[in-house]
Amino acid sequence: MTQSKTDPRILRTRKLIMDSFIELSGKKEFKDITIKDITTEAMINRATFYYHFEDIYDLLEKVLSEVLLINLNGDSYEKGELNEGTFVSIFSAITNFQTSLSNRCHRGYEDTIARIIREQLEIIFYKMLLKQRPSENKQALNTAAVMLSWGLYGASVEWRRNSRTISPEEFIKPVIPYITHGMKTGLP
Amino acid sequence: MTQSKTDPRILRTRKLIMDSFIELSGKKEFKDITIKDITTEAMINRATFYYHFEDIYDLLEKVLSEVLLINLNGDSYEKGELNEGTFVSIFSAITNFQTSLSNRCHRGYEDTIARIIREQLEIIFYKMLLKQRPSENKQALNTAAVMLSWGLYGASVEWRRNSRTISPEEFIKPVIPYITHGMKTGLP
DNA sequence: TCTGTTTTGTTGTTTATACAACACATCGGA
DNA sequence: TCCGATGTGTTGTATAAACAACAAAACAGA
């Protein structure tokens, strides 16, 4: 798990698995996707799946993490810039991700997926906050990351509740000043 | 080499190598393509190349064989139908292949490539003739295949000599009746 | 010509993947 | 309820791929 990322075989296989999962997510609901489906689509052995991922939720985690990082502007992320573009990118990524998962009405799975999304959001926000303010109280940064992850996830729930009448970008942009510049001003 | 074709790892790796070679053929001349170029593009180890192919000419052979078989209509090939469509497909395939190799003026390589193309054509024609006439004298069928391969390759040389003023299909179609129905009639 | 550089093939060892077999869990229908 | 079928997760072994190191050939330039 340490230097394993450099072995081309590992990179290839993980990409095959992740891409197959994303592909299948567009075709059927999450609850109907089996490990066998994924490995068949990826043309790899089922045992190989378990070499890389604990289970399908572990895969979901890592796919989400990938999706979030890929959609983020590399520069902004490296610098920990929590600006408008960053929030828009992250919000778009999670709404797209949820839409492609097409998990509409399955409570049991939705809870797990929601938790995974919040966890990954929290990880990213914490890393970026840490880069932005390395000397700050870590406990405070962690709590801030937790609140951001719950808040942004909640916004995505609200966006879906509104039947996707406007784009994710339009939906999230107006509120970003409140996040970046505080509730008192709500202005950049 | 016997059942090796069924191992997914082998199929994957060979496809990666072949696709990379085809990709590189479009960018630079054959003589400038090194094994290292191919394996780098394919993201596989150089030693793995030699596990599958003897050298770059062996690869060329197998790529050409693939290209020819893929472009052939599966049905016609299975039945050994040497009809107009078959000849057009094969002729288009080899002209496209040569164009993508972009081997314009390098005599030494051109001879080797020409030999490989003729050999692969001969193999395909012999197989199809054998299916069409299983009871025929094998020596005669072999010689017929040799003549067809030389003839069709010669036609491709002539087509290039004419600076590709017409499409390969237009170029070869008028002469096909002479092949399929003989020189005496030249009519279907 | 000589010399340093690149490319070609090869070999031995380590690591990842394929595959088959297994126990167990889950689930839908008789 | 039971039962067959399907999915999950694990294990042992065979094989392919990665990697590093090597000698020899091909090559470019002084």
Side-chain angles (χ1 to χ4, degrees), chain B residues 128-181:
Chain B
M128 296 186 75
L129 285 167
L130 208 56
K131 274 170 195 154
Q132 197 179 45
R133 318 195 142 184
S135 54
E136 181 70 73
N137 173 0
K138 302 233 183 325
Q139 178 63 46
L141 292 183
N142 186 60
T143 306
V146 168
M147 293 184 68
L148 277 174
S149 71
W150 279 85
L152 212 65
Y153 181 77
S156 79
V157 173
E158 181 69 11
W159 175 77
R160 276 188 291 160
R161 227 174 51 78
N162 292 351
S163 309
R164 307 173 171 81
T165 42
I166 59 175
S167 76
E169 291 79 8
E170 287 173 307
F171 183 84
I172 201 65
K173 264 190 182 175
V175 79
I176 292 180
Y178 289 93
I179 307 173
T180 53
H181 294 80

Side-chain angles (χ1 to χ4, degrees), chain A residues 58-73:
Chain A
D58 186 32
L59 170 62
L60 186 64
E61 249 181 60
K62 282 161 180 161
V63 167
L64 176 57
S65 169
E66 277 283 307
V67 167
L68 286 173
L69 289 178
I70 287 174
N71 282 296
L72 275 178
N73 179 328

